[in-house]
Amino acid sequence: GESVGLHLPTLSVQEGDNSIINCAYSNSASDYFIWYKQESGKGPQFIIDIRSNMDKRQGQRVTVLLNKTVKHLSLQIAATQPGDSAVYFCAENIIGTASKLTFGTGTRLQVTL
Amino acid sequence: DVKVTQSSRYLVKRTGEKVFLECVQDMDHENMFWYRQDPGLGLRLIYFSYDVKMKEKGDIPEGYSVSREKKERFSLILESASTNQTSMYLCASSPGGFGIQYFGAGTRLSVL
């Protein structure tokens, strides 16, 4: 079946720099997307979401960009901090599947000092 | 804040044992989910439930069953645990319709 994937399994950035985590999705019927953060030993934590009728949404230090033309989603983290070190997942909701989400395999973000 | 509580953080069981993983949410959410998480495979949906006594198979239901007798509680049952069920198990809940799923801290199960 179709699935959500990620371009980079590990991303290393310096503290203070901006981070960009990418996600490719293959199902054009997806209408809702979520980014999660998972720290070691913890469950995934909601960061930000976006609906398919939007192309950008901003939160606190985070921005999600959606490009439906190329089926691409990205998470931008401004001024990356050591506490941002975690695995980041994108997830998609496909129209007609009610509340089910399909998750990508994750990208590990490592913040160096 | 939404709270999803999984009864155990770590469990060690023997092959063939019957295993119960419990999950409770305090936000009156209609939907509840059980996932397993394995390195390189991401989160895979085992079962989910839209309402009390309702259940639907996810992507990998074999070897598992579930029970939802009360709205706030969703149990995952391994009828006869096997070593290939060693994994991290995550419970989540969400409001009706579609939306954000809120996760518990996970249960790391080892089957020996």
Side-chain angles (χ1 to χ4, degrees):
Chain A
E2 295 178 293
S3 64
V4 175
L6 293 170
H7 295 307
L8 297 173
T10 304
L11 178 65
S12 185
V13 298
Q14 261 195 319
E15 182 180 6
D17 287 352
N18 296 334
S19 302
I20 300 176
I21 301 171
N22 295 304
C23 177
Y25 66 95
S26 57
N27 197 320
S28 58
S30 297
D31 64 346
Y32 179 61
F33 303 88
I34 304 176
W35 280 100
Y36 285 93
K37 171 186 180 183
Q38 187 175 23
E39 296 175 272
S40 181
K42 297 183 179 180
Q45 177 185 5
F46 167 80
I47 302 172
I48 192 168
D49 59 354
I50 189 168
R51 295 187 184 271
S52 59
N53 61 354
M54 304 171 68
D55 53 17
K56 180 179 180 179
R57 191 168 188 210
Q58 288 185 288
Q60 190 175 17
R61 282 201 308 120
V62 295
T63 300
V64 54
L65 299 177
L66 175 62
N67 186 330
K68 294 180 287 294
T69 302
V70 295
K71 299 190 186 69
H72 185 266
L73 192 68
S74 68
L75 177 70
Q76 300 179 359
I77 304 173
T80 310
Q81 302 169 358
D84 295 326
S85 293
V87 175
Y88 290 81
F89 299 91
C90 61
E92 62 178 331
N93 176 263
I94 301 169
I95 292 175
T97 64
S99 55
K100 288 173 65 176
L101 293 175
T102 300
F103 289 85
T105 53
T107 292
R108 180 173 300 280
L109 177 64
Q110 296 177 331
V111 181
T112 58
L113 302 177
Chain B
D1 283 350
V2 176
K3 190 163 186 182
V4 179
T5 303
Q6 295 184 231
S7 55
S8 305
R9 291 301 306 276
Y10 301 95
L11 276 179
V12 180
K13 297 292 182 180
R14 296 204 176 275
T15 303
E17 278 193 77
K18 190 168 186 176
V19 182
F20 293 86
L21 302 183
E22 306 286 342
C23 176
V24 177
Q25 50 96 2
D26 66 356
M27 285 302 293
D28 200 36
H29 284 168
E30 281 76 13
N31 305 318
M32 297 190 75
F33 307 83
W34 275 106
Y35 295 89
R36 65 177 283 175
Q37 184 177 31
D38 301 289
L41 297 178
L43 276 72
R44 293 181 291 167
L45 182 63
I46 304 171
Y47 267 97
F48 58 102
S49 169
Y50 292 132
D51 200 352
V52 175
K53 297 192 185 297
M54 301 292 288
K55 60 184 180 183
E56 297 280 345
K57 292 181 179 179
D59 301 317
I60 52 164
E62 296 77 19
Y64 303 94
S65 62
V66 290
S67 173
R68 194 168 182 200
E69 296 295 319
K70 294 184 178 181
K71 190 175 186 179
E72 68 271 17
R73 187 180 296 270
F74 193 35
S75 302
L76 180 70
I77 303 156
L78 286 65
E79 296 289 343
S80 178
S82 63
T83 55
N84 62 12
Q85 292 178 310
T86 292
S87 187
M88 169 70 86
Y89 289 88
L90 290 161
C91 175
S93 72
S94 72
F98 69 90
I100 301 165
Q101 290 184 19
Y102 297 91
F103 285 83
T107 296
R108 187 165 293 282
L109 173 67
S110 296
V111 183
L112 307 178

